[in-house]
Amino acid sequence: MNKPTGALSGIFTPNVVPLDKSGRINEDGLAKYVDWLIRSGVHGLYPNGSTGEFTRFTAAERQRIVKVVCEAADGRVPVLAGAAEANARETLLACEAYAGYGARAVAIISPIFYKLSQDSIFAYFEEIAKYSVIDVTVYNIPMLASSIEVETVQRLAELEKVIGIKDSSGDVAMMARLISRIRPQRPEFTFMTGWDAVLVPMLAVGADGGTNACSGVVPELTRKIFDRFRAGDMDGAMADQYGLTELFHTMLHAVDFPDGFRAGVELRGHPIGGSRHPHLASQMLEIDRLKERLAAMINAFDCVEELATSRADSA
Amino acid sequence: MNKPTGALSGIFTPNVVPLDKSGRINEDGLAKYVDWLIRSGVHGLYPNGSTGEFTRFTAAERQRIVKVVCEAADGRVPVLAGAAEANARETLLACEAYAGYGARAVAIISPIFYKLSQDSIFAYFEEIAKYSVIDVTVYNIPMLASSIEVETVQRLAELEKVIGIKDSSGDVAMMARLISRIRPQRPEFTFMTGWDAVLVPMLAVGADGGTNACSGVVPELTRKIFDRFRAGDMDGAMADQYGLTELFHTMLHAVDFPDGFRAGVELRGHPIGGSRHPHLASQMLEIDRLKERLAAMINAFDCVEELATSRADSA
Amino acid sequence: MNKPTGALSGIFTPNVVPLDKSGRINEDGLAKYVDWLIRSGVHGLYPNGSTGEFTRFTAAERQRIVKVVCEAADGRVPVLAGAAEANARETLLACEAYAGYGARAVAIISPIFYKLSQDSIFAYFEEIAKYSVIDVTVYNIPMLASSIEVETVQRLAELEKVIGIKDSSGDVAMMARLISRIRPQRPEFTFMTGWDAVLVPMLAVGADGGTNACSGVVPELTRKIFDRFRAGDMDGAMADQYGLTELFHTMLHAVDFPDGFRAGVELRGHPIGGSRHPHLASQMLEIDRLKERLAAMINAFDCVEELATSRADSA
Amino acid sequence: MNKPTGALSGIFTPNVVPLDKSGRINEDGLAKYVDWLIRSGVHGLYPNGSTGEFTRFTAAERQRIVKVVCEAADGRVPVLAGAAEANARETLLACEAYAGYGARAVAIISPIFYKLSQDSIFAYFEEIAKYSVIDVTVYNIPMLASSIEVETVQRLAELEKVIGIKDSSGDVAMMARLISRIRPQRPEFTFMTGWDAVLVPMLAVGADGGTNACSGVVPELTRKIFDRFRAGDMDGAMADQYGLTELFHTMLHAVDFPDGFRAGVELRGHPIGGSRHPHLASQMLEIDRLKERLAAMINAFDCVEELATSRADSA
């Protein structure tokens, strides 16, 4: 397997995980989905993200997911693997495994559940950076895990093994501050946004790309926005950003996250199966209604092939 | 092993887990600590709570912790075992194991990390209640996991397998509303508070007891408060509640939770070892300073034997 | 006019302000309402509170409201007058006026709109305490104005002119901490709760009474709860607290605060007129539906005379 | 006096108000400050904003402030006057006065203190839009007053008298959603951002300009950023945005808002006097230290003339 190197940039997909009827990982479906994403223009994969419901799988399953994604990517694009486990020791074991599978780097969230001080967050990442056999990106998602502040990211950027930040706060000012403080010292440090609603503004303030859940549903659109921005066509990029923002907003707030994104992926022809989290019948109806709205929104994008009627119907 | 039955009441300890030098569970130390707690007056044990850092252990370790606690309790007091795992299926497997170890019931938190709707929370607990082989208590801790609202607890109280709620919100009004709505229909339903700062007010509005982290440090005090309240001595109970509130507040906000409680347990003569979460040197100094303050606070309680100087010194 | 002296205790009503058809203060209606409240058992009045919508009146109107309330009370019960104005200077002018009207003390909120540091809050109250001609109680309502922390109240309790705290946080643990820290130094310092949902638990931890919006609707009930608690009948007090908690919760969350309380007052036979804040037609319908629910809840209290059908109809 | 017309765009200064030794408005100082701002390149003035501490003045003083600013501007640039008063009626009286002074439009915040529903917010602005004699812009500042959601702004944009939104949330995605929904129907509707930290990203998603507190301190810089952006020089605009973001962040979080901005204005040679809100001695020292940091930051901007040493010293 070829192992991509170099700084990360472009649009990475935090992929959902298709399940079979008995709730197990549909490995074949996952591999096909990854292949479609790459052929549709994404620049990388990001398994075990929050969109990928990493907390709902066992440690062994998380490893299996990364292995399948790495094999399916087969060196065509880099894989940034979510490696958060119960503690630093377990996380380091995952890092080792993911390096072996050919991942380019890992993304690690601040430890979930507890509200940690900045000192504790720094101590945790420092420990991991010290022993990890693979490059580490720091994953900030303050809505769901302890917020990692600008000064903490700055301190972490002094560690060689830490090569970037993936920020899902949607805070454009914070991104600007991170870039203006870290880039002069670490020109190759990677800044990725996980907040699709502001992809273009984030690129405008200097981000290298994004890990965008929408790219798992409309990879053609996120690629087009990225390419237009890089070509200096701000107006063109923004024209599509408006639609992306509404699509993101709709999928994000539908039923419970990430139900909206799973519904969107299914509309594109990839059976994703039931959820690891049980749903009420009323919620299943809500997902059905959502699919109709999503189908209309997706069909409005010129760059996305019209959804097969049968597909939208069966969804 | 004797298996206690009946409704839960009194003070349960959400026990911390002693670790050895290499970071492994100190099973012998844990058993001795549990024995001391029971001899010091706690009415039950609550392993795998947030004070017990359940998220920092592996699934296998969590099972081991419950096994050690059940064996050490040996039927003298009931064990309420934290059973939250990655998803409903894994949680049900833990329930089965804990029933086998002799636990009286399990306590289950709303799934961590994601912000779930009330429908999703209900669907999750309904699924677990349907298949669990052991009684279930619902664990509400809105600071750290999705809040479970009054109406949702009410719906869950219609399920036979759900026998109680453990609420760590500290919201006395919510407790009063839960009790006035559920008790008429389910007189044996258990209402436990996890917020030591308001133990007496919670008992005053009708709670059956508490899972109180302070009881792991000063079990004599929490027992005395409970006994006084039950004997109708409100003024006496409150006199000690004031001190308990300050001690709780101090341990809760020290360094990072649950560092303060671990420091308190160590002061009582139970070596708890390092933490599963790495600490900076500055944080270790903070813990040392904290121990001095805690020793003074603990020594101020008449019902607690004076800390051995050597102990406080070595701590 | 007689001027009551001594420490404050018991149930004070944060009265709503009746308006006439053109939106002006209905002074005659206000005086009659105050008289009814006193005859129904409240221990004091609290004009210009948040229930009294003080921010929706002009500075001149706020003075008028206090004057009318003081005259109607006529020394039978003490008046605690909300005196918050645009800045310390204006607030001091209001204090002077209210002293002249015969108010027993003023209640002052931390300055609204800005999020102030504890130092700024202290500086503000210190300035007022230095020059005020009337006793000052500090009003903490963290939902709507900058939170006043335990340590700040403690510092303020060192100022002679500051004679008490009115806390609407509903945080029972905070009340316990305030009492255990301040009462030993200032035995006559007054602790009042503004959170009806936990009136009994607040009294249980040592509060002197409350400024309770529900007392403006069911003064008989709040008085009965207070009397029972004082007589040592905790169970009797709690039996009514459950109902009070639900009534408070219902009125608090109805339409927009304080619409629910205004509707409740009207049900008791006191025309309150429209609101200073415009309402949509859909909101007016919501208020009508609310009145039906409130009427049923109020009629369920034994100590409250049944609502005249015609009254509930016309309401 | 000339009355400017047309859609609003560019950088408006939410001006601070200089006070004299006795705490009264320094009208002469205010007029000179306004004149300096206009000569330094701002496109408009915005008196009675949150930076202008409108809540700390009396209703009469707020009118005086607008009058002085309008006279000093003398038609050279438009004045957008903050007109929020105690209720809709008082607000409408202010609107009338400000129209008479020559203001181009008013900016109105959602009523402060209470947490209002979207229906109540809409009802309030609808009432004002119905009777106002001057164009109205809606002012969203969710940190300090009830948040105005996208759907509510959309509904308000259907009212002819509502001509724009001034958003101080800093939420770039929300701005994008507002623009993509409202601009097609109301091409002349004005979108202004009050969050200096993301001025360029806001312009990038289509905003017309900003009411930026930093423009009261470094008007040359905010003008330069705006001009560069309009000239298509994104890189040049961003180069200065990084510095603006740090300056904004520093002034925003210094002591208590708006102390940082008042200190900055003073550094530029405009004596602003003490604050309407009392300060502790320790806070005054903090402001002194802040001025040193601010002076260094300001001097680092090429487009800003170096601060006179004596000036920075005496500040």
Side-chain angles (χ1 to χ4, degrees):
Chain A
M1 195 183 300
N2 300 316
K3 185 179 167 186
T5 58
L8 305 170
S9 77
I11 307 299
F12 281 56
T13 301
N15 63 280
V16 302
V17 177
L19 301 175
D20 66 20
K21 302 230 164 199
S22 60
R24 278 184 297 250
I25 300 168
N26 174 352
E27 299 195 357
D28 188 52
L30 176 55
K32 280 183 186 154
Y33 176 49
V34 166
D35 180 66
W36 176 77
L37 286 170
I38 295 172
R39 286 185 292 106
S40 301
V42 305
H43 299 95
L45 270 297
Y46 174 39
N48 288 340
S50 56
T51 313
E53 296 174 273
F54 72 100
T55 60
R56 290 171 178 165
F57 292 92
T58 65
E61 286 175 324
R62 280 189 284 273
Q63 295 213 6
R64 193 71 205 160
I65 290 165
V66 175
K67 190 161 191 285
V68 170
V69 169
C70 283
E71 285 175 357
D74 195 23
R76 288 177 290 173
V77 299
V79 174
L80 176 63
E85 295 294 337
N87 52 57
R89 187 183 301 189
E90 301 294 324
T91 297
L92 286 166
L93 291 175
C95 288
E96 212 172 299
Y98 300 163
Y101 300 154
R104 165 67 189 86
V106 292
I108 299 178
I109 202 169
S110 59
I112 63 173
F113 191 62
Y114 295 104
K115 302 233 175 296
L116 297 168
S117 67
Q118 296 302 304
D119 275 351
S120 285
I121 291 169
F122 178 77
Y124 172 77
F125 281 110
E126 189 185 37
E127 174 101 352
I128 287 167
K130 195 171 174 183
Y131 297 109
S132 177
V133 298
I134 186 170
D135 285 343
V136 173
T137 61
V138 171
Y139 176 8
N140 185 40
I141 182 167
M143 283 190 311
L144 299 176
S146 298
S147 177
I148 311 174
E149 293 173 10
V150 168
E151 286 71 18
T152 305
V153 181
Q154 242 183 311
R155 284 168 76 193
L156 288 170
E158 291 169 14
L159 307 175
E160 196 193 344
K161 213 73 190 179
V162 176
I163 63 152
I165 172 124
K166 162 182 161 29
D167 181 84
S168 292
S169 70
D171 184 338
V172 181
M174 181 177 168
M175 181 64 84
R177 295 179 70 214
L178 287 171
I179 291 172
S180 73
R181 286 167 174 226
I182 296 172
R183 193 162 276 168
Q185 271 69 49
R186 290 280 301 269
E188 85 298 356
F189 201 82
T190 296
F191 300 88
M192 303 285 269
T193 174
W195 204 246
D196 310 21
V198 286
L199 175 57
V200 172
M202 286 288 191
L203 295 173
V205 303
D208 297 292
T211 57
N212 300 116
C214 286
S215 73
V217 177
V218 284
E220 308 89 336
L221 181 71
T222 47
R223 176 62 181 261
K224 184 180 159 204
I225 290 173
F226 185 79
D227 288 346
R228 281 186 164 181
F229 178 84
R230 279 291 159 95
D233 178 11
M234 174 65 89
D235 290 347
M238 271 311 300
D240 283 325
Q241 174 73 68
Y242 292 132
L244 181 68
T245 299
E246 290 289 347
L247 180 67
F248 176 69
H249 196 265
T250 302
M251 293 195 291
L252 185 70
H253 296 293
V255 199
D256 268 21
F257 178 82
D259 290 330
F261 294 95
R262 290 181 67 85
V265 171
E266 191 148 71
L267 281 174
R268 296 306 304 272
H270 301 276
I272 48 99
S275 169
R276 272 286 166 108
H277 189 90
H279 283 68
L280 300 184
S282 59
Q283 292 179 305
M284 297 308 295
L285 283 172
E286 216 178 320
I287 291 176
D288 285 346
R289 279 193 300 271
L290 169 72
K291 280 183 179 169
E292 288 177 36
R293 289 178 58 205
L294 289 183
M297 294 179 89
I298 291 170
N299 278 332
F301 294 118
D302 285 343
C303 64
V304 179
E305 198 187 339
E306 188 148 358
L307 298 178
T309 311
S310 57
R311 217 175 265 167
D313 284 354
S314 72
Chain B
M1 192 182 300
N2 300 316
K3 185 180 166 185
T5 57
L8 306 169
S9 78
I11 308 298
F12 281 56
T13 301
N15 62 281
V16 302
V17 178
L19 301 176
D20 66 19
K21 301 229 165 201
S22 60
R24 277 184 296 250
I25 300 167
N26 175 352
E27 299 195 358
D28 189 51
L30 176 55
K32 280 182 185 152
Y33 176 50
V34 167
D35 181 65
W36 176 78
L37 287 170
I38 295 172
R39 287 185 292 104
S40 301
V42 305
H43 298 95
L45 268 298
Y46 174 38
N48 288 340
S50 56
T51 313
E53 296 173 273
F54 73 100
T55 60
R56 290 171 179 167
F57 292 92
T58 64
E61 286 176 323
R62 281 189 284 273
Q63 295 212 4
R64 193 72 204 160
I65 289 165
V66 175
K67 191 162 191 286
V68 170
V69 169
C70 284
E71 285 174 358
D74 195 24
R76 290 177 290 174
V77 299
V79 174
L80 176 62
E85 296 293 337
N87 52 57
R89 186 184 301 190
E90 301 293 325
T91 297
L92 286 166
L93 291 175
C95 288
E96 212 173 299
Y98 301 164
Y101 300 153
R104 165 66 190 86
V106 293
I108 298 177
I109 201 169
S110 59
I112 64 174
F113 192 61
Y114 296 103
K115 303 233 175 297
L116 297 168
S117 67
Q118 297 301 305
D119 275 350
S120 284
I121 291 170
F122 178 77
Y124 172 77
F125 282 109
E126 189 186 37
E127 173 101 352
I128 287 167
K130 195 171 174 182
Y131 298 109
S132 177
V133 296
I134 186 170
D135 284 342
V136 173
T137 60
V138 171
Y139 176 7
N140 184 39
I141 183 166
M143 284 190 310
L144 300 176
S146 299
S147 178
I148 311 174
E149 294 174 9
V150 168
E151 285 72 17
T152 305
V153 181
Q154 241 184 309
R155 284 167 77 192
L156 288 170
E158 291 169 15
L159 307 175
E160 196 193 344
K161 213 75 190 177
V162 176
I163 63 153
I165 171 122
K166 162 182 162 28
D167 180 84
S168 292
S169 70
D171 184 337
V172 180
M174 183 180 168
M175 181 64 85
R177 296 179 70 216
L178 286 172
I179 291 172
S180 73
R181 287 168 173 226
I182 296 172
R183 193 162 275 168
Q185 270 70 49
R186 289 279 303 268
E188 84 298 355
F189 201 82
T190 296
F191 300 88
M192 303 284 270
T193 174
W195 203 247
D196 309 24
V198 287
L199 175 56
V200 172
M202 286 289 190
L203 294 173
V205 303
D208 297 291
T211 57
N212 299 117
C214 286
S215 73
V217 177
V218 285
E220 308 90 335
L221 181 71
T222 46
R223 177 60 180 262
K224 184 181 160 204
I225 291 174
F226 185 79
D227 288 348
R228 281 186 162 180
F229 177 84
R230 278 291 158 94
D233 178 10
M234 174 64 91
D235 290 346
M238 271 311 300
D240 283 324
Q241 173 73 68
Y242 291 133
L244 181 69
T245 300
E246 289 289 349
L247 180 67
F248 176 68
H249 195 266
T250 301
M251 293 196 291
L252 185 69
H253 296 292
V255 201
D256 266 22
F257 177 83
D259 290 330
F261 294 95
R262 291 181 67 86
V265 171
E266 192 149 70
L267 280 174
R268 294 308 303 273
H270 301 277
I272 47 99
S275 169
R276 272 288 166 104
H277 189 91
H279 283 68
L280 299 185
S282 59
Q283 292 178 305
M284 297 309 295
L285 283 173
E286 217 179 319
I287 291 177
D288 284 346
R289 280 193 300 271
L290 169 72
K291 279 183 178 168
E292 288 177 35
R293 290 177 58 206
L294 288 183
M297 295 179 89
I298 291 170
N299 278 332
F301 295 117
D302 285 342
C303 63
V304 180
E305 199 187 340
E306 188 148 359
L307 297 179
T309 311
S310 58
R311 217 175 267 168
D313 283 356
S314 72
Chain C
M1 192 182 305
N2 300 314
K3 185 181 166 184
T5 56
L8 305 170
S9 77
I11 307 298
F12 281 56
T13 301
N15 63 280
V16 302
V17 178
L19 301 176
D20 66 18
K21 301 228 166 205
S22 60
R24 278 184 297 249
I25 300 169
N26 175 353
E27 299 195 357
D28 188 51
L30 176 55
K32 281 183 184 152
Y33 175 50
V34 166
D35 181 65
W36 175 78
L37 286 170
I38 295 172
R39 288 185 291 104
S40 301
V42 306
H43 300 96
L45 269 299
Y46 174 39
N48 287 341
S50 55
T51 313
E53 296 173 275
F54 73 100
T55 60
R56 290 171 178 166
F57 292 92
T58 65
E61 285 175 323
R62 280 188 285 272
Q63 295 212 7
R64 194 73 204 158
I65 290 165
V66 174
K67 190 161 192 287
V68 171
V69 169
C70 283
E71 286 174 357
D74 195 23
R76 290 177 289 173
V77 298
V79 174
L80 175 63
E85 294 293 338
N87 53 56
R89 186 184 301 191
E90 302 293 325
T91 297
L92 286 165
L93 292 175
C95 288
E96 212 172 297
Y98 300 163
Y101 300 152
R104 164 66 190 88
V106 292
I108 299 177
I109 201 168
S110 58
I112 64 173
F113 191 62
Y114 295 103
K115 302 232 174 297
L116 298 168
S117 68
Q118 296 302 303
D119 275 350
S120 285
I121 291 169
F122 178 77
Y124 171 77
F125 281 110
E126 189 186 37
E127 174 102 351
I128 288 168
K130 195 171 174 183
Y131 298 109
S132 177
V133 298
I134 186 169
D135 285 343
V136 173
T137 60
V138 171
Y139 176 8
N140 184 39
I141 183 167
M143 282 189 313
L144 299 177
S146 299
S147 178
I148 311 174
E149 293 174 11
V150 168
E151 286 72 16
T152 304
V153 181
Q154 241 183 311
R155 284 168 76 192
L156 289 170
E158 291 168 17
L159 307 175
E160 196 193 344
K161 212 77 191 175
V162 176
I163 63 151
I165 171 123
K166 161 180 160 30
D167 180 83
S168 292
S169 70
D171 184 338
V172 180
M174 182 178 168
M175 181 63 85
R177 295 180 70 213
L178 287 171
I179 291 173
S180 73
R181 286 168 173 224
I182 296 172
R183 193 162 276 168
Q185 270 72 48
R186 290 279 303 270
E188 85 297 355
F189 201 82
T190 296
F191 300 88
M192 302 285 269
T193 175
W195 203 247
D196 311 22
V198 286
L199 174 56
V200 172
M202 286 288 191
L203 295 173
V205 304
D208 297 291
T211 57
N212 299 116
C214 285
S215 74
V217 178
V218 285
E220 309 90 335
L221 181 71
T222 47
R223 177 60 180 262
K224 184 179 160 205
I225 290 174
F226 185 78
D227 287 348
R228 281 186 162 180
F229 178 84
R230 279 289 159 96
D233 178 11
M234 174 64 89
D235 290 347
M238 271 312 300
D240 283 325
Q241 173 72 68
Y242 292 131
L244 182 67
T245 300
E246 290 288 347
L247 180 67
F248 176 68
H249 195 265
T250 301
M251 292 195 292
L252 185 69
H253 296 291
V255 200
D256 267 22
F257 178 83
D259 290 329
F261 295 94
R262 290 180 68 85
V265 171
E266 191 148 69
L267 281 175
R268 295 307 303 272
H270 301 277
I272 47 100
S275 169
R276 272 288 166 106
H277 188 90
H279 283 68
L280 300 184
S282 59
Q283 292 179 305
M284 297 309 293
L285 283 173
E286 217 179 318
I287 291 177
D288 285 345
R289 278 193 301 271
L290 169 72
K291 279 183 178 168
E292 289 178 34
R293 288 178 58 204
L294 289 183
M297 294 180 89
I298 292 170
N299 278 332
F301 294 118
D302 284 344
C303 63
V304 179
E305 199 187 339
E306 188 148 359
L307 298 179
T309 312
S310 57
R311 215 176 267 166
D313 284 355
S314 72
Chain D
M1 192 181 302
N2 300 316
K3 184 179 166 187
T5 57
L8 306 169
S9 76
I11 308 298
F12 280 57
T13 301
N15 63 280
V16 302
V17 177
L19 301 175
D20 66 20
K21 300 228 167 204
S22 61
R24 279 185 296 251
I25 299 168
N26 175 353
E27 298 195 358
D28 189 50
L30 176 55
K32 280 184 186 152
Y33 176 49
V34 166
D35 180 65
W36 175 77
L37 286 170
I38 295 172
R39 287 186 292 104
S40 301
V42 306
H43 299 95
L45 269 298
Y46 174 39
N48 287 341
S50 56
T51 312
E53 296 173 273
F54 73 100
T55 61
R56 290 171 178 165
F57 293 92
T58 64
E61 286 176 322
R62 280 189 284 273
Q63 295 211 8
R64 193 74 203 157
I65 289 165
V66 174
K67 190 162 191 287
V68 171
V69 169
C70 284
E71 285 174 357
D74 195 23
R76 290 177 289 173
V77 299
V79 174
L80 175 63
E85 294 293 337
N87 52 57
R89 187 183 301 191
E90 302 293 325
T91 297
L92 286 166
L93 291 175
C95 288
E96 212 171 298
Y98 300 164
Y101 300 154
R104 164 67 189 86
V106 293
I108 299 178
I109 202 169
S110 58
I112 65 173
F113 191 61
Y114 295 104
K115 302 234 175 297
L116 298 168
S117 66
Q118 296 302 304
D119 274 351
S120 284
I121 292 170
F122 178 77
Y124 172 76
F125 282 110
E126 189 186 37
E127 173 101 352
I128 287 167
K130 195 171 173 182
Y131 298 108
S132 177
V133 297
I134 187 170
D135 285 342
V136 173
T137 61
V138 171
Y139 176 7
N140 185 39
I141 183 166
M143 283 190 311
L144 300 176
S146 299
S147 178
I148 311 174
E149 294 174 10
V150 168
E151 285 72 17
T152 304
V153 181
Q154 243 184 308
R155 283 167 77 191
L156 289 170
E158 290 169 15
L159 307 175
E160 196 193 344
K161 213 74 188 178
V162 176
I163 63 150
I165 172 125
K166 161 182 161 30
D167 180 84
S168 293
S169 69
D171 184 338
V172 180
M174 183 179 167
M175 181 63 85
R177 295 179 71 213
L178 286 171
I179 292 173
S180 73
R181 286 168 173 225
I182 296 172
R183 193 161 276 168
Q185 270 71 48
R186 290 278 304 267
E188 86 297 354
F189 202 82
T190 296
F191 300 88
M192 302 284 270
T193 174
W195 203 246
D196 310 22
V198 287
L199 175 56
V200 172
M202 286 288 192
L203 295 173
V205 304
D208 297 291
T211 57
N212 300 115
C214 286
S215 73
V217 178
V218 284
E220 309 89 335
L221 181 70
T222 46
R223 177 61 180 262
K224 183 180 160 205
I225 290 174
F226 185 79
D227 289 346
R228 280 187 163 180
F229 178 84
R230 278 291 159 94
D233 178 10
M234 174 65 88
D235 290 346
M238 272 310 301
D240 283 324
Q241 173 72 68
Y242 292 132
L244 181 68
T245 300
E246 290 288 348
L247 180 67
F248 176 69
H249 195 265
T250 301
M251 293 196 291
L252 185 70
H253 296 293
V255 201
D256 267 22
F257 179 82
D259 291 330
F261 294 94
R262 290 180 68 84
V265 171
E266 191 148 71
L267 281 175
R268 294 307 302 274
H270 301 277
I272 49 99
S275 170
R276 273 285 165 109
H277 189 90
H279 283 67
L280 300 183
S282 59
Q283 292 179 307
M284 298 309 294
L285 283 173
E286 217 179 319
I287 291 176
D288 284 347
R289 278 194 300 273
L290 169 72
K291 280 184 180 169
E292 288 178 36
R293 288 177 59 205
L294 289 183
M297 293 179 90
I298 291 170
N299 278 333
F301 294 117
D302 285 343
C303 62
V304 180
E305 200 186 339
E306 189 147 357
L307 298 178
T309 312
S310 59
R311 214 175 270 168
D313 283 355
S314 72

